[in-house]
Amino acid sequence: MSAQSPVRWTDPEQQELEERVAAAELAWLSMDVDVQTLRVEIDNFALIHHQLLGPLYARLDELDALVAEAVAARTGRPEDIRLAAEARQRVEELPDLDALFDSVREKSGEEQAEAAPTPAAPPRVKPGKQAQRVYRDLVRRAHPDLSTDPAEQQRRAAFLVRVNEAYAYGDAAALEGLAAEWSTAPEAAPALDSPDRLGWLRRRLDWLTAKIAETATEQVRLEQTPMGQLLALAPQDPDRLLEQLAEELLAKAAAQQAELERLFGAHSAVPVGENGTDPTFPQPPAGRYPHQESHTMFAQIPTTDATSVPADAALLDVREQDEWDAGHVDGALHIPIGEVIARIGELPDAKLYVLCRVGGRSAQVVQYLVQQGRDAVNVDGGMYAWEGAGRPMVSSTGQAAFVL
């Protein structure tokens, strides 16, 4: 009879922990892939949503404010004036949507390196004894020189960058978390027959459990963001969802435009005052309603689209200084709407193409210039349309131009 090899004894507790750790690793990796995919989908959807619908939202908010201002100007009632002021405040306090997507552009490689903000220097701190102990232990265990493999050296160096940053801030909790991460990493696992294996399995399982909870929390957070909730309405066909939203916004804008024209009188010309408002209406306090503007307040004026403006045309930009600085057409003449009458002598004799943000202020200026016998044309859609047509712009700051 041949001798049989002895059967290797396995600790039942260790075997159970091995299986639980393997299952937890699979669950965490699957969840992490799902969350990362969801984050990319939301980022992409948000960027497209901004690019396609951002101008429509801005136009609708402006029309809402204009309707409220027109009502307040006609009635003069304190309540109407308050509502108009609140509507205008909402327009003025709109967030810089482009800034919200800087992270998306950075991921796409579209952000220039010189535009990246300089990180703030960490405050001078004196790490406590516990932080010093954990830091020394981590450096001792994770130092790149402890490995001869180039890839492993690079991984260790990247890990120590995080360790050094936490230590610079005296963040003992972050250092403890990094210590747990390093000690439970698969690369640090003791051999199957090592007496340290059981303790490592317990630490690894605790770490994985915490990561699963953290990942689940992040998934819920992403799903509950405005863009996450919007994407959830049509996850399989987001393009169609954007089309439906655009149709709804256009319908709302058309209704507000019709209401605005009704308030001004469908067939009556609106006189233009020095600030672009109707001087015959009761006026609210000075500075209450800046940038009165709509897209189609004045139908009976010469109008063209941005793509039809000749390359050598004489352009007049009637926006405010901050709008001009953010992005304008190189070579255009800049005169804010409130200064046009006083500076009319500066206008060239050539045919003028007048621009503003969406075409409302420029329409008022064109109407005034036509009344003065000047040859002027309103650029429909303003600088938003100019940018959308891909026509060149520059900024006063030297940075990338955009429509403010």
Side-chain angles (χ1 to χ4, degrees):
M1 175 181 263
S2 60
Q4 295 182 347
S5 300
V7 177
R8 181 177 177 274
W9 179 82
T10 303
D11 185 341
E13 182 183 2
Q14 180 175 329
Q15 181 61 34
E16 180 187 0
L17 281 173
E18 296 280 4
E19 294 172 355
R20 292 177 64 186
V21 166
E25 285 177 342
L26 179 60
W28 172 55
L29 290 174
S30 298
M31 290 181 64
D32 190 58
V33 169
D34 290 343
V35 169
Q36 296 302 329
T37 302
L38 177 61
R39 181 179 289 109
V40 171
E41 290 176 347
I42 290 177
D43 283 347
N44 290 337
F45 180 74
L47 182 59
I48 297 173
H49 179 274
H50 164 57
Q51 291 174 337
L52 295 181
L53 303 185
L56 287 177
Y57 280 117
R59 177 178 167 188
L60 185 58
D61 287 335
E62 179 69 23
L63 285 169
D64 288 342
L66 285 167
V67 169
E69 289 166 350
V71 171
R74 282 191 177 277
T75 66
R77 289 195 295 264
E79 177 64 12
D80 291 337
I81 293 176
R82 182 186 65 80
L83 293 174
E86 290 177 355
R88 176 56 60 188
Q89 189 71 16
R90 285 193 292 271
V91 174
E92 293 175 350
E93 291 182 351
L94 283 175
D96 182 357
L97 294 178
D98 289 322
L100 296 179
F101 296 93
D102 282 348
S103 60
V104 179
R105 294 191 178 95
E106 288 170 1
K107 292 174 186 176
S108 304
E110 298 176 8
E111 187 75 9
Q112 298 184 11
E114 57 269 21
T118 303
R124 294 182 178 274
V125 296
K126 183 177 181 180
K129 291 184 178 181
Q130 177 66 5
Q132 294 177 25
R133 184 191 65 76
V134 176
Y135 175 71
R136 283 195 297 267
D137 184 59
L138 277 173
V139 172
R140 178 179 58 80
R141 290 189 290 141
H143 199 285
D145 291 347
L146 295 175
S147 174
T148 58
D149 179 59
E152 175 64 10
Q153 287 179 334
Q154 184 176 4
R155 185 183 77 87
R156 287 169 172 263
F159 180 78
L160 282 185
V161 168
R162 297 164 59 197
V163 171
N164 290 332
E165 182 180 5
Y167 187 65
Y169 282 93
D171 193 339
L175 287 170
E176 292 283 2
L178 289 167
E181 178 181 337
W182 184 262
S183 65
T184 60
E187 295 88 348
L192 290 173
D193 56 355
S194 169
D196 297 329
R197 179 76 178 185
L198 195 60
W200 179 85
L201 286 170
R202 294 192 184 101
R203 294 193 303 273
R204 179 68 175 168
L205 185 59
D206 288 342
W207 186 84
L208 286 168
T209 302
K211 293 299 291 185
I212 288 173
E214 178 184 319
T215 305
T217 300
E218 176 64 7
Q219 180 173 0
V220 172
R221 186 194 69 79
L222 289 171
E223 291 172 346
Q224 291 182 349
T225 60
M227 285 299 156
Q229 292 178 348
L230 197 57
L231 182 60
L233 297 176
Q236 304 304 322
D237 193 4
D239 291 339
R240 178 55 187 160
L241 175 62
L242 290 174
E243 292 176 5
Q244 293 174 346
L245 290 173
E247 292 172 0
E248 294 176 4
L249 290 175
L250 287 171
K252 291 179 180 178
Q256 290 298 73
Q257 288 174 353
E259 175 64 10
L260 192 62
E261 291 170 0
R262 184 191 68 79
L263 290 169
F264 278 110
H267 304 290
S268 61
V270 180
V272 179
E274 291 188 359
N275 63 351
T277 60
D278 178 359
T280 65
F281 290 166
Q283 294 299 306
R288 172 80 73 170
Y289 308 136
H291 305 328
Q292 300 234 0
E293 176 175 359
S294 75
H295 192 65
T296 57
M297 282 173 60
F298 307 96
Q300 308 300 321
I301 62 171
T303 302
T304 189
D305 59 83
T307 58
S308 301
V309 178
D312 59 349
L315 298 175
L316 172 62
D317 191 321
V318 299
R319 296 175 299 156
E320 299 304 313
Q321 187 66 47
D322 57 343
E323 297 174 284
W324 167 269
D325 290 338
H328 58 268
V329 182
D330 192 20
L333 175 62
H334 176 223
I335 302 179
I337 185 172
E339 303 175 17
V340 169
I341 294 177
R343 298 172 58 183
I344 193 170
E346 300 178 27
L347 302 181
D349 293 332
K351 183 176 183 178
L352 278 174
Y353 290 81
V354 187
L355 285 157
C356 66
R357 181 161 59 103
V358 298
R361 282 172 283 172
S362 56
Q364 298 177 51
V365 172
V366 168
Q367 184 185 50
Y368 169 76
L369 292 177
V370 169
Q371 290 173 349
Q372 304 304 311
R374 305 296 295 266
D375 189 2
V377 178
N378 185 41
V379 179
D380 190 35
M383 288 300 297
Y384 271 131
W386 188 277
E387 181 183 44
R391 305 206 61 172
M393 299 190 305
V394 297
S395 72
S396 299
T397 63
Q399 296 183 359
F402 65 96
V403 179
L404 178 62

